[in-house]
Amino acid sequence: MTSAASVRVIAPGGTIGILGGGQLGRMTTLAAARLGYRTHVFCQRADEPGAQIASARTLAPFTDEAALAAFAAAVDVVTFEFENIPVETLIALAKRTPVRPSPTVLAISQDRLVEKEFLAGSGFLTAPFAEVEDDAQLAAADARIGRPSILKTSRHGYDGKGQVRLALGDDAGAAWRTLGRAPAVLEGFVRFSTEASVIVARGLDGKTVAFDVTENRHEGGILRESRVPAQLLPALMAEAQELASRIAITLDLTGLLAVELFVNRDGGLLVNELAPRPHNSGHWTIDAAATSQFEQLVRAICGLPLGSAARTADARMLNLLGEEAQDWRSHLADPGARLHLYGKDEARPGRKMGHVTWVSPLPKG
Ligand code: AMP
C-alpha cells in the first residue's frame, strides 16, 4: 500500500521544474543531477546560467498560460530561484503540480512590507519600519522612524538596488522620487556589529535542519564575502539557528529559507530579510558542508530525508563581481581556492559572475 506521504515523494529520476534561469538554479541543477534528477528551467533566455545546463528549458514570460500548463505537465515539482515572479504564476502551477515553497511563502517574501508585517505579527524582531505609499505617510514615517533611516522599495529590490539612505537634513521627498515614488518601506538604520545569515531547510515531514551561521560583509548593498564560523558567541549562533527554524515553521515552508540578520551592538538579533531559496551566503556549503544548500533544497522539495548540515571545514567565500571573474587564472593557480563560474558572458559592474571558496586552512586576508 502506498501511503499519502510517499505519493508526495519524488524519487530520483524525476524532473524538478525551476522558475528562473540564474546561478542559483544552475547550482541546484548540478546538485539535482548528482542525485539522478533532471531539471527543467523556465526563464526568458536560453543563455541564462541555469538554462544553459538544464535537461530541458521553456523560454517564455511567466504570464504565458499555455507555456505554464505545458511546463507543469512536464515536471514533478516546481521550485523558484528568485522572488520576482508573479504569485499568480505559482498559483496557476500549483493547481497542476506541487509547488515548493508554496505561493503563500513567495507572496510574503517578495514584498518587503508584507514580509516585515508577517515577521512583526509573528513576534520576530526587525528594525523599526513604516509603510510609505503617499506623501502624508512618508512624512509620518519619517517623523516616527527618525534619522538615519533607509527607504526601500517594497518590491523588486535586490543587491542594494531600490534603496536610499536618509541622513539628518536629507530631503525624504527627493529620496522617494529617486525610487520613482514606488510603494516603499522606511526602516530605522541599525547600527549593527555584524551581519549574519542562517539557511535552514524544512522537509515535507516538517523536520528542520539549519546550516552554521554565516558572517557576511556587504559593499554597496552587494554581498562581498561570507565566512564560517561566524565570530559570534556560540549561544547567539544557536539562538540564530533556532530563530530561522521557527520562521520556517511559522511559514509552513517546504524547501530552503535564508534568514538575513543584524547582530546589534548589545548582542540582540534583528531579522533583515527572508529569501525562501538558496542564498549567496550559503555557497560555502558546496565546498565545506556534508550536504550543500542546493542538495538540501532538492532533498526538501522531493520529500527525501534532509542531509547533514555539518560543516567539514572553515570557509571563506568571495563573490566575483563584474570584471573580477576574468581573474580566473589566478584562482585556478591557487591550490586552496575552489572556483565556481556561472557562465555569464556580459560582465556588468557589480554583476555576480562567479565565486571562490577557500576552505581551511584559510589564507590570511
Ligand atoms: P537588503 O537589500 O535589505 O538586504 O539591504 C542590503 C544591505 O544594506 C544590508 O545587507 C545591510 O548591509 C544594509 N542595510 C539594509 N537595511 C539596513 C538597516 N535597516 N540598517 C542598516 N543597514 C541596512
Side-chain angles (χ1 to χ4, degrees), residues 257-344:
L257 180 72
V259 179
E260 294 181 26
L261 297 163
F262 296 131
V263 183
N264 258 334
R265 299 243 156 105
D266 63 4
L269 296 172
L270 297 178
V271 180
N272 174 32
E273 225 182 352
L274 305 178
R277 53 165 170 78
H279 193 259
N280 194 169
S281 68
H283 289 357
W284 64 267
T285 60
I286 301 173
D287 297 303
T291 309
S292 77
Q293 62 166 342
F294 302 100
E295 177 176 338
Q296 201 72 303
L297 172 65
V298 170
R299 287 175 179 242
I301 62 175
C302 291
L304 310 183
L306 297 180
S308 160
R311 190 162 52 77
T312 54
D314 294 359
R316 171 179 176 233
M317 189 280 319
L318 188 73
N319 270 334
L320 299 177
L321 305 175
E323 301 287 336
E324 290 164 9
Q326 285 171 10
D327 208 15
W328 51 265
R329 279 189 190 79
S330 71
H331 295 304
L332 288 180
D334 176 351
R338 318 270 173 99
L339 179 66
H340 302 255
L341 295 175
Y342 306 150
K344 298 180 184 176

Side-chain angles (χ1 to χ4, degrees), residues 112 127 150 152 158-160 163 165 187-192 195 218 221-222 260 262 272-273:
R112 284 186 196 276
I150 305 193
K152 303 180 178 178
Y158 69 99
D159 285 348
Q163 304 194 2
R165 296 189 181 193
E187 279 182 35
F189 192 87
V190 179
R191 288 186 180 79
F192 53 79
E195 282 195 84
H218 292 79
I222 304 178
E260 294 181 26
F262 296 131
N272 174 32
E273 225 182 352

Side-chain angles (χ1 to χ4, degrees), residues 152-176:
K152 303 180 178 178
T153 57
S154 292
R155 286 173 171 259
H156 306 300
Y158 69 99
D159 285 348
K161 295 191 174 73
Q163 304 194 2
V164 199
R165 296 189 181 193
L166 291 176
L168 208 60
D170 286 346
D171 179 345
W176 194 31

